Amino acid sequence: MPRRRIEVSVSHDEFEDLNNALEDHRNGFTDMAEEASNGLGLEPEYWVGRANEVQSLLEKVHEYSSEETAAANDSNRTRRSGHRADREAQSDPRD
């Protein structure tokens, strides 16, 4: 199956909304699997597979967001330490 790459920047609230939506979607598939085990709709294995796919997506979203946060923190540290170095390199007019 073709893959799609998406890059988004979201606020904390938007991230929580995305997380909740994915969890609800996964839980919906789990519910469908339970209904299917009672003879309704498609086979339970199909719905369990779909729930697992959404769970995998949820884990990827969490993994990526952690990496982005770490990269942002590294960038901020570098920026701050570089800014200090600039100040230290300037001569003091009182000298």
Side-chain angles (χ1 to χ4, degrees), residues 2-92:
R3 307 287 296 177
R4 292 182 188 223
R5 180 177 178 86
I6 59 172
E7 294 184 32
V8 295
S9 179
V10 295
S11 70
H12 176 74
D13 288 342
E14 291 169 330
F15 179 80
E16 289 301 316
D17 290 342
L18 175 61
N19 186 66
N20 291 339
L22 287 170
E23 287 176 347
D24 289 346
H25 195 53
R26 177 203 57 210
N27 294 345
F29 285 143
T30 302
D31 292 345
M32 294 295 288
E34 288 177 23
E35 290 179 13
S37 66
N38 294 325
L40 302 172
L42 299 173
E43 295 297 316
E45 294 80 17
Y46 171 80
W47 296 113
V48 168
R50 292 302 314 257
N52 290 337
E53 289 173 0
V54 175
Q55 179 62 37
S56 176
L57 177 59
L58 188 56
E59 290 167 3
K60 287 177 186 175
V61 167
H62 281 263
E63 179 182 334
Y64 180 76
S65 68
S66 297
E67 290 173 3
E68 183 175 331
T69 301
N73 288 341
D74 288 345
S75 174
N76 287 337
R77 270 190 243 121
T78 303
R79 200 175 313 131
R80 277 189 238 122
S81 63
H83 189 64
R84 278 191 218 118
D86 288 345
R87 277 190 263 136
E88 290 172 7
Q90 294 175 353
S91 63
D92 188 342

